[in-house]
Amino acid sequence: MRADVVVIGGGPGGSTAAALIAMKGHRVLLLEKEQYPIYKVGESLLPSTVRGICALLGVTEEMKAANFIVKRGGTFHWGKDLHPWTFSFSSSPRMEDENATAYQVERMKFDLILLNNARKLGVDVRERHTVTSLSVTEGRVDGVFFTDPEGQARFCSAGFVVDASGWQTRVANHAGRRVLSEFFRNVALFGYYRGGERLPPPCEGNILCAAFEDGWFWYIPLSPTLTSVGVVVDKQHGRTLQAGDAEALERFIDKCHPIRAMLSNAERITEGPYGQIRMRTDYSYQNTSFRAPGLVLVGDSACFIDPVFSSGVHLATYAALLAARSINTCLDNRLPEDSCFREFEARYRREYARFYEFLVAFYDTNNDLESYYWHAKRVTGSEFEPNRAFVELLGGIGESGETAFGLSRVLFPEMLGAPVAEDGDRSRRFFTQLLREGVKMQLQAQKGLQRESEQPLFSGGLVPSADGLQWAVPPE
Ligand code: FAD
């Protein structure tokens, strides 16, 4: 069997990479070990995924039709005095209408939409096919060994292999070693409830995050009646925890007043895919390398950070876009392989590192709300009042003068040409870059809008092609 590209895993990272490569006419085989739909954690999405990547993939209408809960922002009991505060994307005059929203998704439905879309775009999707190992010839990955649903051993050779097989990857160690975060040594314990309260409109679809003495809770409305509830505690607190420990989850809920209040009339679901109490530990890490000759890592197989800012699916789908650009460029013999994958890894690592950096600051719950606002104003350099700076920061438009998700054509050229601050603090640079990436995704998603005279992010680096699906050498 032969394909141009084999993608391992049919999660958001794998489906996105496969679809964006197939869109350039290449033969893609996607191997997924399960039969979808399957349960997954990771339900709160960001606007960059919903309004950027999903538009690029052409699934906007399907997402709408799925009736996912609309997420307008977040409500936090966080900081020194734990008073509740809410940010709403739409409270910024620079984010408008539905571009100021994301979705809370049942992953069984969301992942299936993306996988079926890959199929529709020509990807040869095979479920219940498990990759067992890589084929390596003279130091280059050139195919995969896998088993089919009958348990038969099979082989497929390929020009490139994308490992998007998630946190339990068997093959990422070919590229490098997994290094666990020293800072985020946490344990998450989570389950599902029926009949939980909703925040008052228009915040009923918000993610609710509540800190308490042992850690913090997420509370994500997935339908008018279904709620995802999880606690994140330090590994020290979580030493005795184990999957299935419903009593431990209830004990933590009792200690966290806002969550206890929201669940006062709710019952825990005990049957079906949402019936288990699940646990994840050591989930903040990065691989020492995200690539090897012929192999590229995307999503949780490469890296992941603590979920407080719901960045997992964003990082997976953004990495998929970067990997697809690199592979498309190489398959068409446009640029040397090494420069394409250097670009991939540099951009991906920068995105990860900057989320990580801001998260470390946000985890300092000893600050009060005003100081978060002021921190937001400082890191974004916003000319507006601090609370507006904060909203715009979490909405991904923390730089003055543009609309990351509002699609202001007038402001695009200035933004794309704007120099990235190389002085000042690192957080400021983080948000400048984050903003740009959001805008770039939007540009690609906009039919007919072509990128113009973009500057490389790194000295000697590449820029996206006009259609956003390849790399190009920047004009002199
Ligand atoms: P996955 O979605 O894990 O997909 C990998 C796929 O590969 C799976 O379908 C698997 O079956 C398949 N596979 C595995 N091995 C093989 C093999 N050998 N052969 C073939 N197929 C294989 N993210 C958010 O965006 N928002 C959140 O609110 C959020 N909350 C989270 C809470 C917790 C506690 C944790 C731990 C994570 C959370 N995440 C969240 C992160 C999110 O779940 C992941 O980042 C995201 O699912 C990564 O997508 P992926 O495509 O890389 O991997």
Side-chain angles (χ1 to χ4, degrees):
M1 223 176 155
R2 167 84 196 163
D4 295 324
V5 181
V6 171
V7 175
I8 314 172
S15 294
T16 301
L20 297 177
I21 297 166
M23 278 161 83
K24 289 305 260 185
H26 303 301
R27 281 175 307 156
V28 186
L29 173 68
L30 185 154
L31 301 170
E32 164 55 54
K33 76 177 162 71
E34 306 289 347
Q35 176 71 53
Y36 273 32
I38 58 170
Y39 169 85
K40 273 189 214 156
V41 70
E43 295 135 334
S44 192
L45 302 186
L46 298 185
S48 58
T49 302
V50 172
R51 306 296 162 198
I53 295 286
C54 287
L56 195 58
L57 291 170
V59 294
T60 300
E61 288 311 313
E62 280 165 80
M63 294 284 285
K64 234 181 238 172
N67 282 324
F68 293 129
I69 294 288
V70 175
K71 171 186 174 182
R72 298 180 197 284
T75 297
F76 283 72
H77 293 246
W78 200 278
K80 205 157 58 187
D81 55 15
L82 294 181
H83 280 154
W85 45 270
T86 291
F87 77 88
S88 148
F89 301 125
S90 67
S91 66
S92 161
R94 292 197 239 138
M95 285 190 271
E96 291 172 344
D97 307 325
E98 62 179 20
N99 286 319
T101 60
Y103 291 122
Q104 317 283 19
V105 296
E106 289 188 66
R107 287 289 298 272
M108 282 184 281
K109 296 178 183 167
F110 173 64
D111 287 20
L112 189 61
I113 288 174
L114 295 193
L115 189 67
N116 282 339
N117 185 60
R119 221 177 233 131
K120 226 179 328 182
L121 290 168
V123 176
D124 180 358
V125 174
R126 306 215 185 168
E127 294 168 88
R128 295 167 60 222
H129 284 66
T130 303
V131 171
T132 48
S133 62
L134 300 173
S135 160
V136 185
T137 307
E138 293 175 3
R140 184 182 174 89
V141 173
D142 60 358
V144 298
F145 296 96
F146 61 99
T147 52
D148 67 16
E150 285 71 48
Q152 291 293 314
R154 309 272 303 268
F155 172 70
C156 180
S157 69
F160 293 94
V161 173
V162 177
D163 177 25
S165 59
W167 63 287
Q168 289 179 303
T169 172
R170 296 179 185 194
V171 300
N173 60 3
H174 180 80
R177 196 167 40 84
R178 180 172 288 187
V179 179
L180 298 179
S181 162
E182 286 296 325
F183 185 84
F184 296 108
R185 284 286 169 97
N186 294 336
V187 180
L189 191 71
F190 42 101
Y192 292 81
Y193 287 78
R194 194 182 290 118
E197 295 293 322
R198 292 292 174 257
L199 294 167
C203 300
E204 67 273 29
N206 281 11
I207 183 169
L208 169 64
C209 292
F212 70 115
E213 58 191 294
D214 295 340
W216 64 275
F217 267 94
W218 76 73
Y219 187 96
I220 302 174
L222 294 178
S223 82
T225 53
L226 176 66
T227 309
S228 166
V229 179
V231 66
V232 174
V233 296
D234 185 87
K235 218 172 163 183
Q236 294 293 87
H237 281 110
R239 256 201 317 252
T240 56
L241 294 180
Q242 45 189 316
D245 195 344
E247 275 178 26
L249 185 60
E250 299 294 337
R251 259 197 325 272
F252 284 124
I253 289 169
D254 264 355
K255 283 170 121 176
C256 183
H257 169 71
I259 301 298
R260 192 175 69 226
M262 295 296 278
L263 291 174
S264 55
N265 293 316
E267 54 170 355
R268 192 173 69 75
I269 295 174
T270 54
E271 72 291 327
Y274 293 124
Q276 297 169 37
I277 300 288
R278 296 175 168 93
M279 191 175 87
R280 286 280 296 275
T281 183
D282 283 336
Y283 47 73
S284 296
Y285 54 81
Q286 55 180 317
N287 224 46
T288 51
S289 173
F290 293 171
R291 65 193 166 116
L295 175 71
V296 57
L297 314 185
V298 153
D300 282 6
S301 88
C303 57
F304 180 61
I305 334 171
D306 195 87
V308 70
F309 275 155
S310 311
S311 56
V313 172
H314 162 71
L315 280 169
T317 53
Y318 174 59
L321 171 65
L322 298 176
R325 277 182 192 155
S326 304
I327 290 171
N328 287 336
T329 310
C330 294
L331 287 175
D332 289 353
N333 290 319
R334 284 174 181 264
L335 289 170
E337 193 173 309
D338 191 54
S339 61
C340 293
F341 286 96
R342 220 176 326 124
E343 191 70 33
F344 156 81
E345 179 146 8
R347 288 185 187 238
Y348 190 6
R349 271 197 193 281
R350 191 204 53 201
E351 186 79 342
Y352 175 85
R354 289 171 174 156
F355 260 105
Y356 189 96
E357 193 177 323
F358 186 71
L359 272 166
V360 169
F362 194 71
Y363 246 72
D364 181 0
T365 51
N366 240 341
N367 287 321
D368 58 24
L369 181 53
E370 275 304 300
S371 76
Y372 290 131
Y373 285 165
W374 279 100
H375 186 70
K377 184 172 167 69
R378 192 170 60 80
V379 299
T380 59
S382 170
E383 63 193 284
F384 302 115
E385 62 275 21
N387 58 343
R388 176 168 164 184
F390 180 85
V391 166
E392 294 185 351
L393 183 151
L394 291 198
I397 61 162
E399 190 76 358
S400 57
E402 83 321 293
T403 307
F405 298 102
L407 302 174
S408 163
R409 283 162 186 258
V410 178
L411 294 165
F412 277 157
E414 292 145 33
M415 280 198 52
L416 294 175
V420 178
E422 288 304 339
D423 52 5
D425 65 46
R426 288 151 74 207
S427 302
R428 181 183 154 81
R429 292 206 299 280
F430 162 41
F431 285 106
T432 307
Q433 297 290 8
L434 197 62
L435 163 75
R436 282 190 177 183
E437 289 307 313
V439 172
K440 284 172 198 162
M441 288 178 201
Q442 283 294 342
L443 275 170
Q444 293 150 19
Q446 282 282 293
K447 290 192 186 73
L449 260 185
Q450 298 284 298
R451 294 156 170 272
E452 286 172 34
S453 63
E454 206 169 306
Q455 301 299 309
L457 295 180
F458 310 99
S459 163
L462 304 171
V463 294
S465 60
D467 67 0
L469 294 179
Q470 292 187 337
W471 295 120
V473 176
E476 290 288 304

